[in-house]
Amino acid sequence: MDTIYALASAQGRAGVSVIRISGPSAFSAGKSLTGTLPDPRKAATRILRDHHGEILDHALVVCFEGPRSFTGEDVVELHVHGSISVVQAVLAELRLQDDLRLAEPGEFTRRALENGKLDLAQVEGLADLIDAETEAQRKQAVRVFSGALGDRVESWRSKLIRSAALLEATIDFADEDVPVDVSPEVLDLLGQVKSDLESEIAGTFVAERIRLGFEVALVGPPNAGKSTLLNRLAGRDAAITSDIAGTTRDVIEVRMDLKGLPVTFLDTAGLRDSEDEIESIGVARAVERAKSADLRVFLALPGEELMLSPVEDDLVLHAKADLVDAVENGISGKTGIGVSELVDRIQHTLQQRTAGAGLATHARHRLAMERAGSALDQALDIVAQGPEQYDIAAEELRSAIRALEALVGRIDVENLLDEIFSSFCLGK
């Protein structure tokens, strides 16, 4: 196993930068810079020197003996001053050592997976935590990174193994002292797992929205003030505004943190019939994006047709409220009338939806659980047919177990690893 090193903190100037070394030669590499290393898991300051004895920096050094480290290997961390030149000088000195090489993107985390320090779901949770921009994303990623999904999968797996063992005991030891009819316990265990799986699968859709962000479409006829409202929400001129109807031709997206929730507002083209070919394309795109959005905010004046019917939770507001006296559900991006109320209503609606979020946050998780659920349904039907079919039911349970094991990376995930770890930065 190679010994690898990399800058583990962000690139660029900082107060402190962390350089991580991991592998069998980590301690000797650290000693070549420091002379002596502190005891494992105890931080101490050391002078870092190059191979000529010249001082590189004064650093805080921490060592971790494997397997009690992030990667499961011997690890040395050098907390140096965050000067670009200092970091480059230390990395250059490490580069001179024959038994060291620069880590590939995500390689530290990949070693943590291979050494059993993390399961694959935790790896994805770590990636999501690094990418988290809002409080809701942070909380969700922390839950996954903490191993909650892996624990849930292990609970399901244990129940399925118990069920398969009962069925196989009936098959293999029919003349021994085992229960003749194990179906009540098996059906109860399988029913518990099936119920949990269905709930978790349903929760993945909301969890994915938290991870990727909700979409809220501003919809209405031309010149209803949608672009002005978008600019007000964004706090900048994100969209061109004018009194000319049809100014917005394409969907304009603005991503923001809405009271802890990741939300992308979509400013769509004004909905109307038009003989202008370009505008018609914009209207068609607007309708398509609005239909696929998580929530729609309709802006219109009384009597104007919307060309798209609101559904449950959609908000219908009186546009350009600054031009009329007090009106119910009025809003004006120009003056700010009703904008704070709109933000509260959107946040409340989306917050209610997040209550149903599950632990599984990726489409890969959902597909694995769906495969397990499908095999589980087959097993339930077969068990109900009687002991003569238990061998077939046991095989279906093994298929369900394999699907769950793939979810946390125990089997059949080699083709996924390169794609997953490519999203990590160099020092993770």
Side-chain angles (χ1 to χ4, degrees), residues 102-170:
L102 188 65
E104 297 175 358
E107 191 169 4
F108 290 113
T109 306
R110 185 162 187 160
R111 292 192 176 193
L113 172 69
E114 293 169 345
N115 292 326
K117 306 301 290 186
L118 300 174
D119 63 39
L120 191 57
Q122 286 178 288
V123 168
E124 290 166 313
L126 176 57
D128 292 342
L129 184 60
I130 293 170
D131 291 336
E133 298 176 341
T134 70
E135 182 66 4
Q137 290 173 323
R138 182 193 67 80
K139 288 181 177 179
Q140 178 171 275
V142 166
R143 283 201 305 164
V144 179
F145 180 51
S146 68
L149 179 57
D151 292 343
R152 182 75 59 87
V153 169
E154 184 57 36
S155 172
W156 296 335
R157 180 176 173 274
S158 297
K159 291 176 181 178
L160 295 184
I161 289 175
R162 168 66 178 169
S163 299
L166 287 171
L167 295 178
E168 290 172 348
T170 301

Side-chain angles (χ1 to χ4, degrees), residues 3 21-27 64-67 69 71-76:
T3 299
I21 311 168
S22 179
S25 300
F27 286 178
F64 303 90
E65 280 186 318
S69 70
T71 62
E73 305 170 333
D74 289 345
V75 171
V76 174

Side-chain angles (χ1 to χ4, degrees), residues 143-219:
R143 283 201 305 164
V144 179
F145 180 51
S146 68
L149 179 57
D151 292 343
R152 182 75 59 87
V153 169
E154 184 57 36
S155 172
W156 296 335
R157 180 176 173 274
S158 297
K159 291 176 181 178
L160 295 184
I161 289 175
R162 168 66 178 169
S163 299
L166 287 171
L167 295 178
E168 290 172 348
T170 301
I171 298 167
D172 297 336
F173 304 102
D175 298 330
E176 302 295 331
D177 186 17
V178 296
V180 174
D181 185 8
V182 299
S183 59
E185 182 177 354
V186 170
L187 291 173
D188 179 59
L189 289 170
L190 300 189
Q192 293 176 34
V193 177
K194 178 178 171 59
S195 177
D196 286 349
L197 275 174
E198 289 175 345
S199 176
E200 195 62 49
I201 289 170
T204 58
F205 295 96
V206 177
E208 276 191 88
R209 299 317 295 164
I210 294 174
R211 183 173 65 86
L212 299 174
F214 292 95
E215 287 192 347
V216 177
L218 305 180
V219 184

Side-chain angles (χ1 to χ4, degrees), residues 74 137 174 242 274 289 414:
D74 289 345
Q137 290 173 323
S242 80
S274 175
R289 289 298 299 273
E414 284 299 321

Side-chain angles (χ1 to χ4, degrees), residues 413-428:
V413 293
E414 284 299 321
N415 58 327
L416 287 172
L417 295 184
D418 289 340
E419 179 180 350
I420 289 172
F421 287 109
S422 67
S423 67
F424 281 80
C425 59
L426 193 64
K428 290 303 294 182

